Amino acid sequence: MENAIKTNLSEKDQVIAKTRLNVPEEHRHGLYANDLLIDFPPIERLAGQAPKEEFDKLQDEFHALLKKWRKDTQHFSSVTKMIQHPAYRRIVDMGIDVLPYLFNELNQHPDHWLVALNAITGEDPAPENSTFDEAVQAWLAWGRGKGYLQ
Amino acid sequence: MAERDLELENVCPNLKKSSYKITSPIDHRYNCIAFAVGDLTHFWYDVNVNGYYWPPGVPSADTLIGWTKIFKIHGYEETDDHSLEPDYEKVVIYARSDNPEHVARQKASGIWTSKMGKGVDIEHTLEGLEGDFYGKVVKVMKRKCQDGKRVLE
């Protein structure tokens, strides 16, 4: 059932749907992840549980995707285009295991990872009406609290 | 400040044929729409995570009608004339197949200025940014200066 629904979604809607979990109902429009029965991996799954080789491979892949995404999207004004980029989508698909790398990257080189973090964790710790910088700081505090960032 | 942005020139090759000037460092915190309305603290887009801004009730940021509405809210009206008129501030929207890609605003000197995605601010000609990446100018909008004064330099 879930797969059938997801197949019928455009690529954009699949990514956008994952970003809307925390939007109050009165402000919603369009498609939503929880309406579509998209499951997220449990937050309790800690990054350290997988073998080291897997994480080395994951880290290498993450950095290759990051480099590609950063280069290709540097001059986009559209967040839709940024998050639809195949490298961004692949990073989101990596799920919880990529969070330590993602938080480290956000800490060192703040960029448009808020949508990916929201899609992976189902959380949005940034205050409403926050600026981009304020949202980044809120996410970094959240990541430290969860142990994803030292 | 660097004199050239080679990656930007790669996506906008017409910049190499015209003069342009980099006027800010790279900054991911705001985009061309924000810059055009004078806000350097928010990235304007309708994304449903906190940290982005899009005015309530405005159509999607993926549509030309949405971008046009933003500037109507800020007092602009549509025109066909992108030449310098001393009593008016002007913006132009670049689009590809009706998909808005970029916006630039005209300075008092007549030169155009804009924020290049997550990158630098530049001063440029209108033609310098036209091409496959941002498309072409599809809409010109203007607003009258108040008491002879521009809201933005």
Side-chain angles (χ1 to χ4, degrees):
Chain A
M1 176 68 174
E2 179 189 343
N3 287 340
I5 293 172
K6 287 171 76 172
T7 302
N8 289 333
L9 287 176
S10 69
E11 287 188 355
K12 175 188 170 186
D13 285 339
Q14 288 186 39
V15 177
I16 294 289
K18 287 184 176 183
T19 73
R20 296 181 172 174
L21 278 172
N22 302 306
V23 180
E25 198 155 342
E26 63 270 26
H27 295 147
R28 292 179 171 193
H29 56 87
L31 298 167
Y32 294 90
N34 47 353
D35 296 335
L36 298 165
L37 305 175
I38 294 172
D39 291 325
F40 292 101
I43 193 78
E44 291 77 14
R45 185 179 161 203
L46 299 176
Q49 289 177 341
K52 182 178 181 306
E53 310 81 66
E54 277 188 33
F55 277 94
D56 288 344
K57 190 177 168 187
L58 188 74
Q59 186 175 21
D60 290 347
E61 184 180 5
F62 171 74
H63 283 110
L65 292 166
L66 171 67
K67 187 177 176 184
K68 171 79 173 155
W69 178 78
R70 194 187 283 150
K71 180 177 184 296
D72 289 355
T73 66
Q74 178 68 13
H75 299 106
F76 285 165
S77 298
S78 162
V79 179
T80 302
K81 284 189 168 185
M82 290 181 213
I83 67 176
Q84 279 185 304
H85 189 282
Y88 197 94
R89 291 167 51 80
R90 172 64 190 134
I91 287 170
V92 170
D93 285 345
M94 288 174 164
I96 297 286
D97 291 341
V98 84
L99 288 179
Y101 310 121
L102 207 44
F103 275 109
N104 191 48
E105 174 62 20
L106 186 71
N107 190 34
Q108 292 189 17
H109 307 287
D111 207 329
H112 290 260
W113 297 112
L114 310 183
V115 174
L117 290 168
N118 175 260
I120 293 169
T121 66
E123 301 284 341
D124 191 350
E128 264 189 62
N129 303 319
S130 51
T131 64
F132 190 83
D133 271 353
E134 289 166 345
V136 167
Q137 292 309 314
W139 270 107
L140 292 175
W142 186 91
R144 285 190 189 95
K146 295 289 182 184
Y148 293 120
L149 182 66
Q150 299 303 312
Chain B
M1 207 78 69
E3 290 191 359
R4 295 179 66 185
D5 183 333
L6 299 182
E7 288 189 13
L8 180 60
E9 289 179 15
N10 279 339
V11 297
C12 299
N14 282 342
L15 279 177
K16 287 183 273 192
K17 302 175 194 167
S18 59
S19 63
Y20 77 98
K21 179 183 174 186
I22 298 171
T23 56
S24 84
I26 288 173
D27 196 325
H28 57 270
R29 294 172 296 184
Y30 60 97
N31 61 353
C32 60
I33 308 172
F35 180 81
V37 299
D39 178 2
L40 304 188
T41 61
H42 290 89
F43 206 97
W44 284 44
Y45 228 78
D46 60 341
V47 183
N48 284 312
V49 296
N50 293 324
Y52 294 95
Y53 175 73
W54 194 249
V58 173
S60 166
D62 293 324
T63 64
L64 192 54
I65 191 171
W67 287 39
T68 303
K69 178 74 174 174
I70 292 288
F71 293 101
K72 284 186 175 172
I73 289 171
H74 284 82
Y76 289 85
E77 57 190 37
E78 295 184 39
T79 178
D80 293 326
D81 180 7
H82 59 64
S83 67
L84 179 63
E85 293 182 76
D87 290 337
Y88 287 91
E89 292 176 274
K90 294 187 179 181
V91 295
V92 293
I93 299 173
Y94 293 78
R96 288 190 313 163
S97 307
D98 284 340
N99 296 317
E101 301 287 348
H102 189 65
V103 59
R105 66 176 169 82
Q106 191 177 39
K107 299 183 75 173
S109 64
I111 195 75
W112 295 85
T113 183
S114 55
K115 171 69 160 54
M116 310 312 296
K118 299 181 288 179
V120 296
D121 302 346
I122 66 169
E123 292 177 355
H124 57 89
T125 63
L126 287 185
E127 298 77 16
L129 297 186
E130 287 192 328
D132 292 342
F133 195 77
Y134 290 127
K136 61 182 182 179
V137 172
V138 297
K139 199 169 284 285
V140 185
M141 301 182 77
K142 69 178 183 180
R143 71 178 170 194
K144 191 154 180 59
C145 297
Q146 307 219 340
D147 301 325
K149 291 181 180 174
R150 300 169 61 90
V151 176
L152 299 168
E153 168 44 29

